[in-house]
Amino acid sequence: MELCSIASGSSGNCICVGTDECHVLVDAGISGKRIESGLNSIDLKTEEMQGILITHEHVDHIAGLGVLARRYGLPMYATPGTIDAILHTKSVGMIDSALFHEIHPGEDFTIGDMTIEPIAISHDAAEPVAYKMKQPGKSMAVMTDLGIYDDHIVEKLKGLDVLLLEANHDVHMLQVGSYPYPLKQRILGEKGHLSNELSGRLLGEVLHDHFGTVFLGHLSKENNYAKLAYETVRLEVTMGDNPYKGDDFPMYVAKRDEPSELVRF
């Protein structure tokens, strides 16, 4: 299995996950040209994708969806609430509704040789989910856009080999920054985004002896920066109530405007 972040941040998200036999995108929140360029960097092409897993309908996750749908006719997988919201989003243009495949939290489905599990999350969207991709003895997940996490999410993320996890903002930077007060409250709320600190605490709860790699993703351009996210998450793991240290496993910060390292396992 493998994972590569094509782009991850508050301005656009697109992750490529797959196996030797099939690849899919998680979200298409950047231009089709940038997606193609990112895939080319790991020797793949957009037309080779076997589907797009959509987490929710916010523009930074679907900005390029209409172009990919019309140009390549790629099947798209999303919850009923997300599908309805996308079909009512004028900015994506016309999309053939037949390309959509309904999925439901907690109900596995397959694409190629991957089993995919949608996981319900808390975010201010119609019916948002994260995704866990599985093969026998291997698993990875893309977990972003959640204001809080609970025991259910912790349980779903245990035993992973690779995890892309949201570390959206530094709380102090957000509080003193230029965002309007209602927007600050939304981001800090239970349907907003995970801070660096919460990301580190969640990570500390799901680490295990055979854990592989973590990517920190969906960083805010205005309220975070890569080194701060990395150091804060690393410190939270080290100081947390778990047997691990922040240096016990590879950790990278997914880039906002260029592909990340390709991780294979």
Side-chain angles (χ1 to χ4, degrees):
M1 302 186 81
E2 61 186 34
L3 180 150
C4 179
S5 171
I6 304 301
S8 183
S10 55
S11 54
N13 298 272
C14 182
I15 315 299
C16 180
V17 298
T19 68
D20 290 339
E21 296 184 16
C22 81
H23 290 83
V24 299
L25 298 177
V26 180
D27 291 327
I30 55 176
S31 71
K33 184 177 181 180
R34 286 182 61 196
I35 292 173
E36 183 69 29
S37 176
L39 290 174
N40 290 168
S41 74
I42 54 173
D43 298 320
L44 292 171
K45 298 179 180 178
T46 306
E47 59 262 35
E48 295 172 342
M49 298 297 104
Q50 290 186 242
I52 305 173
L53 312 179
I54 306 164
T55 60
H56 65 289
E57 74 277 6
H58 290 170
V59 67
D60 57 321
H61 295 263
I62 65 166
L65 193 64
V67 172
L68 297 190
R70 291 185 291 274
R71 184 173 297 168
Y72 301 107
L74 299 178
M76 296 172 286
Y77 299 82
T79 61
T82 298
I83 292 171
D84 183 67
I86 291 171
L87 292 174
H88 288 87
T89 301
K90 292 182 179 180
S91 62
V92 299
M94 293 294 295
I95 297 180
D96 182 357
S97 60
L99 293 174
F100 285 105
H101 299 261
E102 286 191 4
I103 53 93
H104 302 274
E107 296 181 10
D108 289 1
F109 62 98
T110 59
I111 299 178
D113 59 347
M114 278 193 300
T115 299
I116 300 165
E117 180 182 1
I119 303 170
I121 56 174
S122 175
H123 193 55
D124 60 345
E127 194 179 357
V129 292
Y131 289 100
K132 182 176 180 179
M133 284 64 64
K134 300 175 280 189
Q135 279 192 315
K138 298 180 180 180
S139 62
M140 59 184 165
V142 176
M143 176 66 64
T144 68
D145 298 81
L146 63 164
I148 57 171
Y149 66 89
D150 55 19
D151 291 343
H152 174 72
I153 286 178
V154 170
E155 192 62 32
K156 291 295 182 182
L157 298 184
K158 287 183 176 178
L160 293 174
D161 296 283
V162 173
L163 171 63
L164 190 146
L165 178 64
E166 176 173 58
N168 178 257
H169 60 277
D170 173 79
V171 173
H172 179 70
M173 286 183 68
L174 176 62
Q175 289 174 332
V176 302
S178 61
Y179 278 8
Y181 179 76
L183 179 56
K184 292 179 181 181
Q185 292 302 105
R186 183 184 76 81
I187 294 171
L188 291 167
E190 292 189 352
K191 293 191 174 183
H193 293 278
L194 282 190
S195 66
N196 295 336
E197 290 84 359
L198 286 177
S199 180
R201 292 171 198 170
L202 173 53
L203 182 58
E205 293 197 48
V206 302
L207 290 174
H208 56 91
D209 289 349
H210 303 291
F211 187 87
T213 302
V214 63
F215 286 93
L216 303 179
H218 210 295
L219 272 67
S220 167
K221 185 177 181 180
E222 294 80 11
N223 301 303
N224 211 355
Y225 56 93
K227 186 175 181 180
L228 178 59
Y230 178 90
E231 293 296 343
T232 303
V233 171
R234 189 176 66 86
L235 182 61
E236 286 289 339
V237 171
T238 300
M239 300 299 291
D241 185 19
N242 66 79
Y244 303 101
K245 305 297 182 185
D247 295 327
D248 287 346
F249 53 93
M251 181 165 66
Y252 304 97
V253 179
K255 299 179 176 75
R256 180 178 295 107
D257 51 9
E258 60 182 278
S260 69
E261 296 82 359
L262 173 67
V263 171
R264 304 195 74 188
F265 60 99

